[in-house]
Amino acid sequence: MDRNPSPPCSDAEEEEGDAVGNTVYSKHWLFSVLTRLIEVIAPAEPDPAASPEGAPTELDEEMENDICKVWDMSMDEDVALFLQEFNAPDIFMGVFAKSKCPRLTEICVGILGNMACFQDICMSISKDENLGQVLLQRLCDSDSPTLLETSRLLLTCLSQPEVANVWVERIRENPSVYDCVCFIMSSSTNVELLVKVGEVVDKLFDLDEELMLNWIKNGTCRSVGPSVDDSPEELPDFKIVPCILEAAKQVRSDNPEGLDVYMHILQLLTTVDEGIQAIVQAPDGGKETWSLLYDLVCQELCQPDDPPIIVQEQKTVLASILSVLSAMFASQTEQEYTRMRKSKSCFFDYMPLIGSLIRILQYMEGCGKRAVDNSKESEQEETGRTDVNEEDFHLKILKDICCELLSNMLQELTKENTLEGLHQGHLNEETCSCAFQNLLPLYFASVESFLEVLREADQTLADNLEKRFPSLKVHT
């Protein structure tokens, strides 16, 4: 008997009913591969490639090719259902328990991940408590490909509303998940893995504030974590914010979507007081966080040589970054702020950031005019109007966050800061007019305060701005 036929059932002599569902895949072939998989993890005779414990450490080429074919085939719902009926998840449980072969573990987790894309199967996998615990243990694996497939599987399950709470509760009750995730974020250089793990954390925090609070407060005790030889070792006393920052630094150049994910995680942290305090009360007083975000805004995103439309592409990551900066800025007490402002070791320079905020507003004005023109051109197209409205909504969020931070910063400027901004070119009649146009009338007090300081630095510019904005002159 040919034990390894090609997955597509093209042989005319194949028995009727051998096809899996409406596919051309052979049930017989799938049975044979799964049967051989069982034999791999529980061999009748010793395998020369086996480790001292008896389980093989490497797959032979033929077996790897066949199990990889199953991996590809499992993206088909009929095949996934067939695998479930054949109790493939239980077979994979045996693999996880006995296999010493990282490649085999990776493939089996990957097959489960494909199967979990289908709702009924996902519910079955998720409700299996033993399988759920075993899968979470895979996060402590030392093999990056296995970690990647495990993260994909978890994200798939967390994205299904019917079972998301099951996984959230399971993760909340399993402290090792925190340690494993932090270990990956703080030490991995695999960008693809970091992005996927970030998506898992982002989803978890978005789904459950209690879990996020627990992770913010975590890191107060030593934990047992992964090691290359599977022997227990103590992990560092992880704190969530430094781990997020380390991962963000790894992905920032190679994966814009990954950077977006990690910035959104930081933004979610700032939605609770404990998260803001975790950022600003770090040993460095939040210097590392501020420096990274400041550098992204002032040196990388929405730069002067970019076309204005760039703000459309970067609107979500900009909104997250500015939201965190705004929360950090607002969290400082007057005493702390005064001390930092007067200190020569102050870790941020206001004017480049203010210049960047105004530039973002200028670019948004250009995008707004373009959106209006597009709306008029597609007035009869319902879909087109919906897209424009959605873009308007996201730009409005970015504008609101940008204006809030800009108003707070303008209100704290001194004459010296303002003179520096004029000298550097961040402040002039055009940029100040753009700022006033966007801040008035909501942030009138901030604009008025800044105008008083500006009058000391440049009387002519202040007079010109008063002429352009008569409402300011009335109140002065």
Side-chain angles (χ1 to χ4, degrees), residues 23 45 51 60 83 87 90 128 139 150 242 255 310 384 416 429:
T23 74
E45 297 180 3
S51 65
D60 66 71
L83 291 172
N87 294 322
D90 290 340
D128 187 328
L139 286 173
T150 303
N255 196 299
I310 194 70
E416 290 73 20
E429 188 166 345

Side-chain angles (χ1 to χ4, degrees), residues 23-235:
T23 74
V24 294
Y25 302 131
S26 166
K27 290 180 182 178
H28 176 77
W29 184 85
L30 278 168
F31 272 128
S32 72
V33 175
L34 292 174
T35 300
R36 288 162 53 215
L37 180 59
I38 295 173
E39 294 173 354
V40 167
I41 58 175
E45 297 180 3
D47 189 325
S51 65
E53 290 79 8
T57 56
E58 295 183 6
L59 281 175
D60 66 71
E61 184 177 351
E62 186 178 38
M63 183 62 194
E64 180 172 350
N65 288 338
D66 285 345
I67 196 68
C68 281
K69 289 175 183 177
V70 177
W71 190 0
D72 291 337
M73 292 160 59
S74 64
M75 291 187 288
D76 185 288
E77 185 172 10
D78 286 336
V79 174
L81 288 168
F82 178 81
L83 291 172
Q84 184 187 29
E85 291 171 5
F86 193 73
N87 294 322
D90 290 340
I91 297 175
F92 298 152
M93 282 266 286
V95 171
F96 302 148
K98 299 180 180 180
S99 174
K100 298 294 181 180
C101 174
R103 178 61 172 161
L104 180 58
T105 302
E106 172 204 354
I107 295 170
C108 291
V109 177
I111 294 172
L112 276 175
N114 284 349
M115 294 172 65
C117 292
F118 306 104
Q119 183 177 337
D120 290 344
I121 301 177
C122 186
M123 291 181 67
S124 175
I125 291 173
S126 300
K127 291 179 180 179
D128 187 328
E129 186 61 30
N130 290 332
L131 180 57
Q133 292 297 334
V134 168
L135 288 172
L136 290 184
Q137 290 172 12
R138 292 300 94 210
L139 286 173
C140 293
D141 207 294
S142 59
D143 181 60
S144 290
T146 298
L147 290 171
L148 177 59
E149 293 308 320
T150 303
S151 301
R152 282 177 172 157
L153 171 57
L154 289 176
L155 185 61
T156 298
C157 294
L158 289 169
S159 300
Q160 301 237 15
E162 297 80 9
V163 299
N165 289 338
V166 173
W167 286 98
V168 169
E169 184 64 27
R170 187 174 287 148
I171 291 170
R172 190 191 298 135
E173 294 176 353
N174 195 328
S176 67
V177 174
Y178 170 87
D179 290 313
C180 294
V181 167
C182 285
F183 182 80
I184 294 168
M185 291 193 297
S186 62
S187 63
S188 178
T189 57
N190 185 320
V191 171
E192 190 178 6
L193 172 59
L194 288 172
V195 173
K196 196 58 61 177
V197 168
E199 290 175 345
V200 171
V201 174
D202 188 42
K203 191 69 176 178
L204 283 170
F205 286 3
D206 196 36
L207 286 170
D208 193 81
E209 185 176 294
E210 180 183 346
L211 183 143
M212 181 173 71
L213 287 169
N214 288 341
W215 282 24
I216 291 171
K217 298 171 184 176
N218 216 326
T220 57
C221 59
R222 295 274 180 178
S223 304
V224 174
S227 65
V228 176
D229 59 0
D230 287 338
S231 60
E233 67 174 15
E234 284 192 343
L235 288 178

Side-chain angles (χ1 to χ4, degrees), residues 319-336:
S320 295
I321 292 172
L322 297 184
S323 181
V324 177
L325 289 174
S326 185
M328 292 182 69
F329 193 90
S331 71
Q332 304 296 336
T333 64
E334 183 64 31
Q335 182 178 0
E336 290 173 328

Side-chain angles (χ1 to χ4, degrees), residues 392-444:
D392 286 347
F393 173 74
H394 289 295
L395 284 175
K396 184 180 184 304
I397 292 176
L398 175 57
K399 178 181 176 181
D400 291 345
I401 296 171
C402 188
C403 286
E404 180 181 9
L405 178 56
L406 179 60
S407 68
N408 287 337
M409 298 190 76
L410 289 180
Q411 199 165 15
E412 301 295 345
L413 288 182
T414 63
K415 177 182 177 181
E416 290 73 20
N417 296 141
T418 305
L419 286 169
E420 183 181 5
L422 292 168
H423 176 72
Q424 294 174 350
H426 298 300
L427 297 179
N428 53 48
E429 188 166 345
E430 179 185 359
T431 58
C432 289
S433 294
C434 176
F436 288 11
Q437 183 70 41
N438 284 277
L439 294 177
L440 293 172
L442 184 60
Y443 297 102
F444 183 89

